[in-house]
Amino acid sequence: MKHLGDVIPLPASVRPDPGADFRVPADVSVSAAPAAAAVADELAEVLREVTGFPVPRTEEGSIRLEIEAAGEARSPESYRLAIAADGVTLGAPTEQGLFAGFQTLRQLLPLKGEVVLPGGRIEDAPRFAYRGTMLDLARHFYQPADIRSYLDTIAQFKINHLHLHLTDDQGWRLEIDGWPRLTEVSGGEGTGIDGAGPGFLTAQEYADLVAYAATRHITIVPEIDLPGHVNAAQVAYPELTCDGEPVQPRTDAEVGYSSLCAGKEETYTFVEDVIRTVAALTPGPYLHIGGDEALSTTAEDYRTFMTRVLPLPGKYGKRAIGWHEMAAVDLPQDAIPQYWRIEPTDDGVARAAAAGHQVIMSPADRSYLDMKYDESTPLGLDWAGLVSVERSYDWDPADRLPGVGEESLLGVEAPLWSETLRSLADVEFMVFPRLLAIAEIGWTPRAARDWSSFRERLAEFGPRFEAQGINYHRSAEIDWP
Ligand code: TNX
């Protein structure tokens, strides 16, 4: 049997009651308020798999899902889980909270053997509202079925945002109405790193993915990287270069050589068409406009471009997120810089925080899932250093940048760039287990976090990943069973 606190992320409050373990009986049933029906069905399905019992839905189940009064300060993702000798009650103010509680309950079930749930009470709520990860579809494309499977996995750790890096020098991965060559030319055969990552999402496939993510209570954050990282767009539409001359497709991993033309009106027609289209396809509140490594855009052109483009997500009902380089310009009030570098300070981000902007923390030396674990890791890069599981866990986003404290943080995100990653199995190998460290940083109260506790809890997830067919790195830092 698991201990009540043997879950990731660790809940805010765990009070075990060893006298109150629940031995799941053969006639176990699930009852739920109408608003909790979807979570109840999933829970019943998981219970069926583990126990082999029929687990029907009844009026008075031994496992009850309840929608509770919202209360003043309760996060929509908060929940309470009470396990007693005669049954289980999971209560939350929203379906989102019940879904979070269901992830906790699911982790408390054994993989096999007698099904006994540990007695006691959990009261839980997230530290940060934004707990994300990023998948780079531009350097290598992954099929929608793979992305859905990935969504299933990350939701188990209460990750609630998936940022999709949809465009870069090597490929353009989202169909845009009125600009068909973007995907016909730059999403097709021969695109991606070494030409080995072809593919794109039709508008319908993207909309379907967004809807599927919503069933996992995950918000999709689409990124169109501007004004650099645009070679694929310029291959498709040469009028997007300053001189209008065609450029060659690129399949290498260089960065910083391409730029939209800040002084040309066609640039802004294109950008506004793309932002309007992506905003219309995206129900979530955010639209990421990139802004990183515009090394071949002059500082003046960058300012001109960003000053014109930054208000566009707002014009179409979205909040702009951008890599933190954009903090060099005056930001619209609700814009969110995402810090990604390895330096210990950043004046632009500190200035934005002082002006009241929320920040997403993604320092490469801690949260980049494409960095190698150690010298022997066969995949990944190492420009930000090696990122062991302990390094990905043992830091705090509120300490990372002077001037950017707890109250300035919207949350934390772990990006995964895909230069070296050709398959979902490659992706999973880099992500698991390190994403669990970032998930705990984003959810668990800071004072409750502890590396030695985390590494012990993490060991249990080896067999769980295997049972679910998820690839992971068996880091020597963990005593896997
Ligand atoms: C830097 S991080 C980039 C990406 C690369 C990544 C590789 C960032 C905003 N830009 O273009 O893929 O390094 O780790």
Side-chain angles (χ1 to χ4, degrees):
M1 187 181 64
K2 292 261 259 181
H3 294 286
L4 191 61
D6 270 355
V7 295
I8 294 175
L10 184 69
S13 158
V14 178
R15 281 179 292 150
D17 180 356
D21 297 344
F22 177 54
R23 191 168 303 275
V24 178
D27 66 353
V28 63
S29 63
V30 177
S31 62
V39 179
D41 286 343
E42 283 193 54
L43 172 57
E45 185 55 39
V46 166
L47 277 170
R48 266 174 226 125
E49 277 165 27
V50 177
T51 62
F53 302 149
V55 200
R57 288 270 302 280
T58 57
E59 288 291 308
E60 292 287 317
S62 41
I63 299 181
R64 293 167 297 277
L65 272 54
E66 295 170 354
I67 299 283
E68 300 175 334
E72 289 279 294
R74 279 190 88 181
S75 154
E77 293 180 292
S78 66
Y79 69 91
R80 299 179 221 268
L81 178 64
I83 300 175
D86 62 349
V88 174
T89 307
L90 173 60
T94 65
E95 192 190 343
Q96 232 184 328
L98 289 175
F99 187 78
F102 161 49
Q103 305 315 319
T104 300
L105 186 55
R106 183 176 181 183
Q107 292 184 12
L108 290 173
L109 291 166
L111 269 181
K112 50 180 183 296
E114 218 190 359
V115 183
V116 183
L117 288 164
R121 294 181 68 86
I122 288 176
E123 296 199 15
D124 205 4
R127 175 179 174 191
F128 296 119
Y130 188 109
R131 305 173 308 279
T133 186
M134 186 205 84
L135 201 51
D136 172 6
L137 299 188
R139 274 58 175 268
H140 282 98
F141 183 72
Y142 310 105
Q143 295 300 326
D146 286 341
I147 304 173
R148 278 196 290 276
S149 155
Y150 190 61
L151 286 161
D152 290 342
T153 311
I154 66 178
Q156 295 180 40
F157 306 101
K158 303 185 174 73
I159 294 292
N160 65 357
H161 289 79
L162 178 65
H163 167 184
L164 293 177
H165 184 76
L166 293 165
T167 69
D168 213 303
D169 291 316
Q170 302 85 349
W172 185 285
R173 309 303 183 187
L174 176 63
E175 180 184 50
I176 302 290
D177 198 28
W179 297 82
R181 289 175 55 81
L182 289 171
T183 43
E184 280 169 18
V185 173
S186 292
E189 286 307 310
T191 63
I193 296 284
D194 296 336
F200 65 90
L201 298 170
T202 64
Q204 186 61 50
E205 284 171 330
Y206 174 80
D208 290 348
L209 261 183
V210 169
Y212 185 78
T215 71
R216 313 291 83 215
H217 296 276
I218 292 173
T219 300
I220 297 292
V221 179
E223 178 187 352
I224 305 296
D225 202 350
L226 308 164
H229 293 274
V230 293
N231 194 68
Q234 293 175 327
V235 170
Y237 291 99
E239 63 264 40
L240 295 176
T241 63
C242 274
D243 59 12
E245 291 296 320
V247 294
Q248 290 306 306
R250 294 272 299 252
T251 59
D252 58 88
E254 275 303 306
V255 296
Y257 57 84
S258 63
S259 176
L260 290 175
C261 192
K264 235 177 157 178
E265 222 26 58
E266 286 95 323
T267 296
Y268 302 100
T269 307
F270 168 72
V271 169
E272 185 155 355
D273 277 359
V274 171
I275 289 178
R276 187 191 334 101
T277 304
V278 175
L281 287 172
T282 305
Y286 307 115
L287 201 156
H288 200 304
I289 57 160
D292 60 313
E293 297 176 320
L295 307 178
S296 55
T297 316
T298 66
E300 196 194 332
D301 280 354
Y302 186 84
R303 190 176 300 272
T304 304
F305 178 87
M306 278 297 179
T307 303
R308 242 179 111 171
V309 169
L310 265 166
L312 293 176
K315 179 171 172 188
Y316 297 104
K318 304 296 166 192
R319 269 180 92 173
I321 304 178
W323 301 108
H324 69 267
E325 285 98 318
M326 78 167 181
V329 314
D330 287 329
L331 299 173
Q333 217 193 338
D334 63 353
I336 302 160
Q338 177 172 11
Y339 182 70
W340 65 273
R341 287 290 313 172
I342 59 178
E343 287 74 17
T345 63
D346 188 274
D347 291 345
V349 181
R351 203 174 339 102
H357 291 276
Q358 290 184 299
V359 173
I360 295 172
M361 206 43 93
S362 303
D365 54 331
R366 299 289 188 168
S367 71
Y368 266 32
L369 300 171
D370 59 315
M371 292 301 121
K372 291 176 182 289
Y373 292 88
D374 57 43
E375 288 90 358
S376 71
T377 309
L379 302 168
L381 308 175
D382 61 5
W383 67 262
L386 300 168
V387 180
S388 64
V389 180
E390 183 172 2
R391 259 191 87 72
S392 67
Y393 186 82
D394 224 353
W395 65 286
D396 196 87
D399 290 344
R400 192 54 177 75
L401 286 182
V404 188
E406 183 88 13
E407 64 296 339
S408 299
L409 293 173
L410 180 61
V412 59
E413 179 181 299
L416 180 75
W417 302 94
S418 66
E419 285 91 334
T420 64
L421 312 174
R422 292 196 174 191
S423 64
L424 180 65
D426 288 354
V427 166
E428 290 175 343
F429 179 82
M430 298 308 280
V431 170
F432 304 113
R434 287 181 293 190
L435 183 61
L436 281 65
I438 303 299
E440 182 148 308
I441 290 174
W443 181 282
T444 304
R446 183 175 181 171
R449 287 208 293 119
D450 170 63
W451 162 248
S452 63
S453 148
F454 178 76
R455 77 181 271 286
E456 276 177 31
R457 280 177 288 124
L458 181 56
E460 269 278 320
F461 284 86
R464 280 170 193 263
F465 287 140
E466 284 155 34
Q468 293 185 32
I470 297 163
N471 197 20
Y472 70 105
H473 171 54
R474 287 181 67 85
S475 161
E477 303 162 87
I478 309 300
D479 298 325
W480 306 103

